[in-house]
Amino acid sequence: MGPTPSSSNDRSERKKRNAKTTIQSLEHDTLCMIFALLDFFDLARCSAVCKYWNTIINKSKLLREFYVNQKQNSTDFSNKSTCSETSLKAYLEELAMEHHRFSLQEGLINIDQWKGHSVGFNQCRMKKGLILTGKGDKVMRLWSLESYKCVEEYAVPDTVPLVDFDFDESKIVGLVGTRICIWRRNGKRSIFPSNEGTFVKGLCMRMRAGPVTCLCLSDDQLILSGSSLGSITVSGILSDQQVATLRSRITIGGIKTLCYNACSHLVFAGSTSGYTSCWDLRTMRSLWETRVSPNVVYSVQHLRSDKSTLVVGGIDGVLRTLDQNTGQVLASCVMEGNASSSSQNTYGATEKRKGRRLSEDMPIDSIPKSYRPPITCLAVGMKKVVTAHNGRHIRLWKFNS
């Protein structure tokens, strides 16, 4: 018999405690000498390892000194007093976004893929070192990005289909049939009865632009709904009224996926004819429309706080990076054929593969379809992308600048 879940959890907790003890066993002065040898980006990453390291780095003002040196030649940086905690945090975020953008455009691509489900699945979400997958079979699984092991598992009712889901630190929220279903992260499940999980006004809301194919929410109480006729309806959550309709300047086909960037107030959409489009929600104006694929675009996503790059996937199986402001395709990539190595996990082998960047003039049809199965869903993290392909395997793309 294999180890029980409780014994596995105990071992995991012991490993965490041992790792924490090892980290804190290094003397303060020794760590200061080590940190002083690092560059700015590595130092910022070390500050996120644990509270102990974060305290040492910030109290020794190493990050602040680096920031001052980086900004010395700037015309709007005259003295150290301008280095506030807010400006330092903003600079660290800007630096992280720069590394993220560069890694998506250039450098090596390593791909880890492992079997995650007994049948094909087509939905995935990624947050804070965890991947949630599901929708193919009657189970959702939460995976560790560090070990690729399933850390939590949640059953879906047999009688109704799982339509969509999302998660945070404490719960998983899913649309199961016509009901909202909540799974607490301690394993207990709570399903709202139909009369409590249904909002009459929401069900009666008329989008007026054809059958609704996808939805997303803005931060200011607006619902954006994509139509099979190619337009996007903007409606108020509280007023139950249509605010505006976003239309393309050309015929782009039906809308298959939507994504909203709260930082820049831009709306991105993927269509059945291979177009990716962008609108400014403040002015309701179309900014750009680019045909990135000859086939359907199934998923469009970006890293939170990133106002520069957009990751797109669809039926042709090519993972593309776009410029959020212009729609220009910055990079295209697929997976290489042979696995370089593999290791075992709970559900089988984890295969290590390489990704390949495509030149602009390379015909897609010349690449075997086995290297580029349709991308049904994707999620973007810092210098990484997880993709679902309606198969049994989870695929994690790691971009190394």
Short mmCIF file of all heavy atoms in Angstrom, two decimals, residues 52-96:
data_model
loop_
_atom_site.label_atom_id
_atom_site.label_comp_id
_atom_site.label_asym_id
_atom_site.label_seq_id
_atom_site.Cartn_x
_atom_site.Cartn_y
_atom_site.Cartn_z
N TYR A 52 12.77 36.09 6.60
CA TYR A 52 14.10 36.26 7.20
C TYR A 52 15.04 36.96 6.22
O TYR A 52 15.69 37.95 6.56
CB TYR A 52 14.64 34.90 7.63
CG TYR A 52 16.01 34.92 8.27
CD1 TYR A 52 16.25 35.66 9.42
CD2 TYR A 52 17.05 34.18 7.72
CE1 TYR A 52 17.50 35.67 10.02
CE2 TYR A 52 18.31 34.18 8.32
CZ TYR A 52 18.52 34.92 9.46
OH TYR A 52 19.76 34.92 10.06
N TRP A 53 15.10 36.44 4.99
CA TRP A 53 15.95 37.06 3.98
C TRP A 53 15.45 38.45 3.60
O TRP A 53 16.23 39.37 3.37
CB TRP A 53 16.03 36.16 2.73
CG TRP A 53 16.90 34.96 2.91
CD1 TRP A 53 17.37 34.45 4.08
CD2 TRP A 53 17.42 34.13 1.87
NE1 TRP A 53 18.14 33.34 3.85
CE2 TRP A 53 18.19 33.12 2.49
CE3 TRP A 53 17.29 34.12 0.49
CZ2 TRP A 53 18.83 32.12 1.77
CZ3 TRP A 53 17.94 33.12 -0.24
CH2 TRP A 53 18.70 32.14 0.40
N ASN A 54 14.14 38.59 3.49
CA ASN A 54 13.57 39.89 3.13
C ASN A 54 13.95 40.95 4.15
O ASN A 54 14.30 42.09 3.80
CB ASN A 54 12.04 39.76 3.02
CG ASN A 54 11.39 41.05 2.58
OD1 ASN A 54 11.10 41.91 3.40
ND2 ASN A 54 11.14 41.16 1.29
N THR A 55 13.89 40.58 5.43
CA THR A 55 14.24 41.53 6.50
C THR A 55 15.70 41.94 6.42
O THR A 55 16.04 43.13 6.54
CB THR A 55 13.95 40.90 7.88
OG1 THR A 55 12.56 40.56 7.96
CG2 THR A 55 14.31 41.87 8.99
N ILE A 56 16.60 40.96 6.20
CA ILE A 56 18.03 41.25 6.11
C ILE A 56 18.32 42.19 4.95
O ILE A 56 19.05 43.18 5.09
CB ILE A 56 18.85 39.95 5.97
CG1 ILE A 56 18.78 39.14 7.26
CG2 ILE A 56 20.31 40.26 5.61
CD1 ILE A 56 19.46 37.79 7.16
N ILE A 57 17.75 41.89 3.79
CA ILE A 57 18.02 42.69 2.60
C ILE A 57 17.50 44.11 2.75
O ILE A 57 18.17 45.08 2.39
CB ILE A 57 17.41 42.01 1.35
CG1 ILE A 57 18.18 40.72 1.03
CG2 ILE A 57 17.43 42.94 0.14
CD1 ILE A 57 17.55 39.87 -0.04
N ASN A 58 16.30 44.25 3.31
CA ASN A 58 15.72 45.58 3.43
C ASN A 58 16.36 46.39 4.56
O ASN A 58 16.57 47.60 4.41
CB ASN A 58 14.21 45.47 3.66
CG ASN A 58 13.46 45.17 2.38
OD1 ASN A 58 13.34 46.02 1.50
ND2 ASN A 58 12.97 43.95 2.24
N LYS A 59 16.72 45.73 5.67
CA LYS A 59 17.35 46.47 6.77
C LYS A 59 18.76 46.91 6.40
O LYS A 59 19.24 47.95 6.86
CB LYS A 59 17.38 45.60 8.02
CG LYS A 59 16.05 45.57 8.76
CD LYS A 59 16.18 44.93 10.13
CE LYS A 59 14.88 45.05 10.90
NZ LYS A 59 14.98 44.45 12.26
N SER A 60 19.45 46.10 5.58
CA SER A 60 20.79 46.49 5.17
C SER A 60 20.76 47.49 4.02
O SER A 60 21.80 47.97 3.58
CB SER A 60 21.58 45.25 4.76
OG SER A 60 20.96 44.62 3.64
N LYS A 61 19.56 47.77 3.51
CA LYS A 61 19.35 48.78 2.47
C LYS A 61 20.08 48.46 1.17
O LYS A 61 20.44 49.35 0.41
CB LYS A 61 19.74 50.17 2.97
CG LYS A 61 18.94 50.63 4.17
CD LYS A 61 19.33 52.04 4.60
CE LYS A 61 18.51 52.47 5.81
NZ LYS A 61 18.88 53.84 6.25
N LEU A 62 20.32 47.15 0.93
CA LEU A 62 21.01 46.78 -0.30
C LEU A 62 20.18 47.12 -1.54
O LEU A 62 20.71 47.66 -2.52
CB LEU A 62 21.33 45.28 -0.27
CG LEU A 62 22.46 44.84 0.66
CD1 LEU A 62 22.49 43.33 0.78
CD2 LEU A 62 23.79 45.36 0.14
N LEU A 63 18.89 46.80 -1.48
CA LEU A 63 18.03 47.11 -2.62
C LEU A 63 17.97 48.62 -2.86
O LEU A 63 18.00 49.07 -4.01
CB LEU A 63 16.62 46.57 -2.37
CG LEU A 63 16.39 45.08 -2.63
CD1 LEU A 63 14.99 44.67 -2.21
CD2 LEU A 63 16.59 44.76 -4.10
N ARG A 64 17.90 49.37 -1.79
CA ARG A 64 17.81 50.83 -1.92
C ARG A 64 19.08 51.41 -2.54
O ARG A 64 19.03 52.30 -3.40
CB ARG A 64 17.55 51.44 -0.54
CG ARG A 64 17.16 52.88 -0.58
CD ARG A 64 16.54 53.29 0.74
NE ARG A 64 15.33 52.51 1.00
CZ ARG A 64 14.21 53.03 1.46
NH1 ARG A 64 14.13 54.32 1.67
NH2 ARG A 64 13.17 52.28 1.69
N GLU A 65 20.24 50.88 -2.12
CA GLU A 65 21.50 51.35 -2.69
C GLU A 65 21.58 51.02 -4.17
O GLU A 65 22.03 51.82 -4.99
CB GLU A 65 22.68 50.72 -1.93
CG GLU A 65 22.86 51.23 -0.51
CD GLU A 65 23.18 52.71 -0.48
OE1 GLU A 65 23.90 53.18 -1.38
OE2 GLU A 65 22.69 53.40 0.43
N PHE A 66 21.16 49.81 -4.54
CA PHE A 66 21.14 49.44 -5.95
C PHE A 66 20.23 50.37 -6.73
O PHE A 66 20.54 50.80 -7.84
CB PHE A 66 20.65 47.99 -6.12
CG PHE A 66 21.77 46.99 -6.22
CD1 PHE A 66 21.95 46.02 -5.25
CD2 PHE A 66 22.64 47.02 -7.30
CE1 PHE A 66 22.97 45.09 -5.34
CE2 PHE A 66 23.67 46.10 -7.41
CZ PHE A 66 23.83 45.13 -6.42
N TYR A 67 19.07 50.68 -6.15
CA TYR A 67 18.11 51.54 -6.83
C TYR A 67 18.70 52.93 -7.07
O TYR A 67 18.56 53.50 -8.15
CB TYR A 67 16.84 51.63 -5.98
CG TYR A 67 15.79 52.56 -6.56
CD1 TYR A 67 15.03 52.18 -7.66
CD2 TYR A 67 15.56 53.82 -6.00
CE1 TYR A 67 14.06 53.02 -8.17
CE2 TYR A 67 14.61 54.67 -6.51
CZ TYR A 67 13.86 54.26 -7.60
OH TYR A 67 12.91 55.09 -8.13
N VAL A 68 19.38 53.45 -6.07
CA VAL A 68 20.01 54.76 -6.20
C VAL A 68 21.06 54.74 -7.31
O VAL A 68 21.12 55.64 -8.15
CB VAL A 68 20.66 55.19 -4.86
CG1 VAL A 68 21.51 56.44 -5.05
CG2 VAL A 68 19.59 55.43 -3.81
N ASN A 69 21.89 53.68 -7.34
CA ASN A 69 22.91 53.58 -8.38
C ASN A 69 22.31 53.46 -9.77
O ASN A 69 22.82 54.02 -10.74
CB ASN A 69 23.81 52.37 -8.10
CG ASN A 69 24.64 52.53 -6.85
OD1 ASN A 69 24.94 53.65 -6.44
ND2 ASN A 69 25.00 51.42 -6.21
N GLN A 70 21.20 52.72 -9.87
CA GLN A 70 20.53 52.54 -11.16
C GLN A 70 19.97 53.87 -11.67
O GLN A 70 19.94 54.12 -12.87
CB GLN A 70 19.40 51.52 -11.04
CG GLN A 70 19.85 50.11 -10.74
CD GLN A 70 20.21 49.34 -12.00
OE1 GLN A 70 20.01 49.81 -13.10
NE2 GLN A 70 20.78 48.16 -11.82
N LYS A 71 19.50 54.72 -10.74
CA LYS A 71 18.81 55.95 -11.12
C LYS A 71 19.69 57.20 -11.10
O LYS A 71 19.21 58.30 -11.36
CB LYS A 71 17.62 56.17 -10.18
CG LYS A 71 16.48 55.15 -10.37
CD LYS A 71 15.79 55.36 -11.70
CE LYS A 71 14.59 54.46 -11.86
NZ LYS A 71 13.89 54.69 -13.14
N GLN A 72 20.97 57.06 -10.80
CA GLN A 72 21.86 58.22 -10.66
C GLN A 72 21.86 59.11 -11.90
O GLN A 72 21.90 60.33 -11.80
CB GLN A 72 23.27 57.76 -10.35
CG GLN A 72 23.54 57.58 -8.87
CD GLN A 72 24.97 57.15 -8.61
OE1 GLN A 72 25.71 56.87 -9.54
NE2 GLN A 72 25.35 57.08 -7.35
N ASN A 73 21.84 58.49 -13.06
CA ASN A 73 21.95 59.25 -14.30
C ASN A 73 20.61 59.75 -14.82
O ASN A 73 20.53 60.38 -15.87
CB ASN A 73 22.61 58.40 -15.38
CG ASN A 73 24.02 58.00 -15.00
OD1 ASN A 73 24.73 58.77 -14.36
ND2 ASN A 73 24.42 56.79 -15.38
N SER A 74 19.53 59.45 -14.08
CA SER A 74 18.21 59.88 -14.52
C SER A 74 18.03 61.37 -14.24
O SER A 74 18.47 61.89 -13.21
CB SER A 74 17.13 59.07 -13.80
OG SER A 74 15.85 59.54 -14.14
N THR A 75 17.39 62.08 -15.16
CA THR A 75 17.22 63.53 -15.01
C THR A 75 16.28 63.89 -13.86
O THR A 75 16.36 64.97 -13.31
CB THR A 75 16.66 64.12 -16.32
OG1 THR A 75 15.43 63.43 -16.64
CG2 THR A 75 17.64 63.96 -17.45
N ASP A 76 15.36 62.97 -13.50
CA ASP A 76 14.41 63.28 -12.44
C ASP A 76 14.81 62.64 -11.10
O ASP A 76 14.00 62.54 -10.19
CB ASP A 76 12.99 62.82 -12.82
CG ASP A 76 12.94 61.32 -13.08
OD1 ASP A 76 14.02 60.71 -13.19
OD2 ASP A 76 11.82 60.78 -13.20
N PHE A 77 16.08 62.25 -11.01
CA PHE A 77 16.56 61.63 -9.76
C PHE A 77 17.76 62.42 -9.28
O PHE A 77 18.86 62.24 -9.75
CB PHE A 77 16.94 60.17 -10.01
CG PHE A 77 17.20 59.40 -8.73
CD1 PHE A 77 16.15 58.80 -8.07
CD2 PHE A 77 18.49 59.29 -8.21
CE1 PHE A 77 16.38 58.08 -6.90
CE2 PHE A 77 18.71 58.58 -7.03
CZ PHE A 77 17.66 57.98 -6.39
N SER A 78 17.53 63.32 -8.29
CA SER A 78 18.60 64.21 -7.87
C SER A 78 19.28 63.80 -6.58
O SER A 78 20.45 64.06 -6.38
CB SER A 78 18.04 65.63 -7.70
OG SER A 78 16.94 65.61 -6.80
N ASN A 79 18.55 63.13 -5.66
CA ASN A 79 19.17 62.72 -4.40
C ASN A 79 18.49 61.48 -3.85
O ASN A 79 17.44 61.05 -4.32
CB ASN A 79 19.11 63.87 -3.38
CG ASN A 79 17.68 64.35 -3.18
OD1 ASN A 79 16.83 63.59 -2.74
ND2 ASN A 79 17.43 65.62 -3.52
N LYS A 80 19.08 60.93 -2.80
CA LYS A 80 18.61 59.67 -2.24
C LYS A 80 17.25 59.82 -1.55
O LYS A 80 16.56 58.83 -1.32
CB LYS A 80 19.63 59.12 -1.24
CG LYS A 80 20.92 58.67 -1.88
CD LYS A 80 21.82 57.99 -0.87
CE LYS A 80 23.12 57.51 -1.50
NZ LYS A 80 23.97 56.79 -0.53
N SER A 81 16.87 61.03 -1.21
CA SER A 81 15.61 61.20 -0.51
C SER A 81 14.40 60.84 -1.38
O SER A 81 13.32 60.61 -0.86
CB SER A 81 15.49 62.65 -0.02
OG SER A 81 15.45 63.54 -1.13
N THR A 82 14.60 60.86 -2.68
CA THR A 82 13.50 60.51 -3.58
C THR A 82 13.27 59.01 -3.64
O THR A 82 12.32 58.55 -4.25
CB THR A 82 13.77 61.04 -5.01
OG1 THR A 82 14.94 60.42 -5.50
CG2 THR A 82 13.92 62.54 -5.02
N CYS A 83 14.14 58.23 -3.03
CA CYS A 83 14.00 56.77 -3.05
C CYS A 83 13.04 56.33 -1.95
O CYS A 83 13.46 55.93 -0.87
CB CYS A 83 15.36 56.09 -2.87
SG CYS A 83 15.26 54.29 -2.86
N SER A 84 11.76 56.46 -2.19
CA SER A 84 10.75 56.02 -1.23
C SER A 84 10.47 54.54 -1.42
O SER A 84 10.87 53.92 -2.39
CB SER A 84 9.47 56.82 -1.42
OG SER A 84 8.91 56.53 -2.70
N GLU A 85 9.75 53.99 -0.45
CA GLU A 85 9.37 52.57 -0.55
C GLU A 85 8.49 52.34 -1.77
O GLU A 85 8.60 51.32 -2.43
CB GLU A 85 8.64 52.16 0.73
CG GLU A 85 8.29 50.68 0.77
CD GLU A 85 7.64 50.28 2.08
OE1 GLU A 85 7.76 51.05 3.06
OE2 GLU A 85 7.01 49.21 2.12
N THR A 86 7.63 53.31 -2.08
CA THR A 86 6.73 53.19 -3.24
C THR A 86 7.52 53.18 -4.54
O THR A 86 7.26 52.36 -5.44
CB THR A 86 5.72 54.35 -3.25
OG1 THR A 86 4.97 54.34 -2.03
CG2 THR A 86 4.77 54.21 -4.43
N SER A 87 8.48 54.09 -4.67
CA SER A 87 9.26 54.16 -5.91
C SER A 87 10.12 52.92 -6.08
O SER A 87 10.30 52.42 -7.20
CB SER A 87 10.14 55.41 -5.91
OG SER A 87 11.09 55.38 -4.85
N LEU A 88 10.66 52.37 -4.97
CA LEU A 88 11.46 51.15 -5.04
C LEU A 88 10.60 49.97 -5.48
O LEU A 88 11.00 49.18 -6.33
CB LEU A 88 12.10 50.86 -3.68
CG LEU A 88 12.94 49.59 -3.58
CD1 LEU A 88 14.09 49.61 -4.58
CD2 LEU A 88 13.47 49.41 -2.16
N LYS A 89 9.39 49.86 -4.92
CA LYS A 89 8.48 48.78 -5.28
C LYS A 89 8.08 48.88 -6.75
O LYS A 89 8.03 47.86 -7.47
CB LYS A 89 7.23 48.83 -4.39
CG LYS A 89 6.26 47.70 -4.65
CD LYS A 89 5.06 47.79 -3.72
CE LYS A 89 4.07 46.67 -4.01
NZ LYS A 89 2.87 46.76 -3.12
N ALA A 90 7.82 50.10 -7.21
CA ALA A 90 7.45 50.30 -8.61
C ALA A 90 8.59 49.92 -9.54
O ALA A 90 8.38 49.31 -10.60
CB ALA A 90 7.03 51.75 -8.84
N TYR A 91 9.81 50.26 -9.13
CA TYR A 91 10.97 49.92 -9.96
C TYR A 91 11.19 48.42 -10.01
O TYR A 91 11.51 47.86 -11.07
CB TYR A 91 12.22 50.62 -9.42
CG TYR A 91 13.46 50.35 -10.26
CD1 TYR A 91 13.60 50.93 -11.51
CD2 TYR A 91 14.45 49.51 -9.79
CE1 TYR A 91 14.73 50.68 -12.29
CE2 TYR A 91 15.58 49.26 -10.55
CZ TYR A 91 15.71 49.84 -11.80
OH TYR A 91 16.81 49.57 -12.57
N LEU A 92 11.02 47.73 -8.88
CA LEU A 92 11.17 46.28 -8.85
C LEU A 92 10.14 45.61 -9.76
O LEU A 92 10.45 44.66 -10.48
CB LEU A 92 11.01 45.75 -7.42
CG LEU A 92 12.17 46.03 -6.46
CD1 LEU A 92 11.79 45.62 -5.04
CD2 LEU A 92 13.43 45.31 -6.91
N GLU A 93 8.90 46.12 -9.74
CA GLU A 93 7.86 45.56 -10.60
C GLU A 93 8.18 45.82 -12.06
O GLU A 93 8.00 44.95 -12.91
CB GLU A 93 6.51 46.17 -10.24
CG GLU A 93 5.35 45.55 -11.00
CD GLU A 93 4.00 45.98 -10.47
OE1 GLU A 93 3.75 45.79 -9.26
OE2 GLU A 93 3.21 46.51 -11.26
N GLU A 94 8.67 47.02 -12.36
CA GLU A 94 9.05 47.35 -13.74
C GLU A 94 10.18 46.45 -14.22
O GLU A 94 10.17 45.97 -15.36
CB GLU A 94 9.48 48.82 -13.80
CG GLU A 94 9.94 49.29 -15.17
CD GLU A 94 10.49 50.70 -15.13
OE1 GLU A 94 10.10 51.47 -14.22
OE2 GLU A 94 11.31 51.04 -16.00
N LEU A 95 11.15 46.19 -13.35
CA LEU A 95 12.27 45.32 -13.71
C LEU A 95 11.80 43.90 -13.95
O LEU A 95 12.23 43.24 -14.90
CB LEU A 95 13.32 45.35 -12.58
CG LEU A 95 14.61 44.57 -12.84
CD1 LEU A 95 15.43 45.24 -13.94
CD2 LEU A 95 15.43 44.48 -11.56
N ALA A 96 10.90 43.41 -13.09
CA ALA A 96 10.36 42.06 -13.26
C ALA A 96 9.61 41.93 -14.57
O ALA A 96 9.75 40.93 -15.29
CB ALA A 96 9.46 41.71 -12.08
#
